[in-house]
């Protein structure tokens, strides 16, 4: 089923998470970031940070915590067996720290195809902001932009015998 380009500009429900020190320590350890700045608040403070800094790609882990993370694909009628992670890029604007409450707002920013429609691409852009509270009626968070994450989902056609399985 072709991906309808009219989804460009559609937004997923926002979600917010609080950055926890324990998870930061675990992520830093698991990804080989052994500097004490990622595990000891006093070392982070001595390095000029107000708390443990968020390692750059940890934002993806936090974004994955959104409730019902597969609803986007399900609502588009996309079979999860047909998707691939195509690309990811990050644009950082500010460091995030343990204790921050971050809001993730995702919008479909592009849809295109290649190979005569056999491969379809959905580009989504997520703005991550540090919460400072919401302005009533603004429709969005008021906060400092921390990062902009772009990811591309590749949707491929299934061979006929797989599509009916």
């Amino acid at each position: 089923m072709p991906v309808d380009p009219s989804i460009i500009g559609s937004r997923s429900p926002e979600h917010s998470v609080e950055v926890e020190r324990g998870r930061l320590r675990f992520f830093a350890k698991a990804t080989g970031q052994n500097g004490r700045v990622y595990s000891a608040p006093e070392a982070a403070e001595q390095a000029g940070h107000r708390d443990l800094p968020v390692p750059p790609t940890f934002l993806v882990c936090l974004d994955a915590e959104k409730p019902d993370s597969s609803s986007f694909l399900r609502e588009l009628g996309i079979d999860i067996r047909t998707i691939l992670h195509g690309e990811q890029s990050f644009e950082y604007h500010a460091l995030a720290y343990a204790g921050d409450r971050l809001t993730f707002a995702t919008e479909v920013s592009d849809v295109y195809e290649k190979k005569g429609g056999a491969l379809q691409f959905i580009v989504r852009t997520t703005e991550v902001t540090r919460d400072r509270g919401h302005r009533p009626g603004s429709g969005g968070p008021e906060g400092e932009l921390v990062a902009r994450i772009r990811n591309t989902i590749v949707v491929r056609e299934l061979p006929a015998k797989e599509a009916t399985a």
Side-chain angles (χ1 to χ4, degrees):
M1 179 170 80
V3 177
D4 185 349
S6 71
I7 66 169
I8 296 172
S10 64
R11 300 180 68 84
S12 299
E14 293 179 5
H15 72 102
S16 297
V17 296
E18 185 168 328
V19 181
E20 300 171 4
R21 283 182 178 163
R23 292 196 58 212
L24 285 176
R25 288 181 182 117
F26 183 76
F27 182 83
K29 184 177 179 181
T31 57
Q33 300 175 66
N34 299 319
R36 287 184 33 82
V37 72
Y38 292 109
S39 60
E42 58 279 358
E45 189 174 314
Q46 287 174 356
H49 301 289
R50 61 179 162 81
D51 208 313
L52 301 180
V54 172
T57 57
F58 188 66
L59 295 174
V60 174
C61 297
L62 295 173
D63 190 27
E65 292 185 4
K66 66 183 128 204
D68 196 8
S69 61
S70 63
S71 65
F72 171 73
L73 296 171
R74 193 174 50 250
E75 289 169 7
L76 292 176
I78 296 173
D79 183 336
I80 197 165
R81 297 175 301 165
T82 66
I83 64 166
L84 301 167
H85 178 78
E87 181 177 31
Q88 187 120 18
S89 65
F90 301 85
E91 180 184 305
Y92 295 102
H93 294 267
L95 270 175
Y97 294 98
D100 284 350
R101 184 159 184 82
L102 303 177
T103 295
F104 295 77
T106 301
E107 178 179 301
V108 175
S109 49
D110 198 9
V111 172
Y112 59 94
E113 64 182 36
K114 292 185 177 180
K115 299 195 177 209
L119 298 175
Q120 301 172 62
F121 298 78
I122 303 171
V123 181
R124 299 192 315 159
T125 302
T126 301
E127 289 197 349
V128 183
T129 55
R130 183 183 351 264
D131 289 6
R132 292 182 184 156
H134 283 74
R135 290 176 298 175
S138 69
E142 177 183 357
E144 177 186 11
L145 180 62
V146 170
R148 189 170 286 121
I149 304 168
R150 288 177 51 102
N151 75 25
T152 303
I153 300 168
V154 181
V155 183
R156 63 182 177 87
E157 286 183 6
L158 282 178
K161 70 177 184 180
E162 287 184 49
T164 58

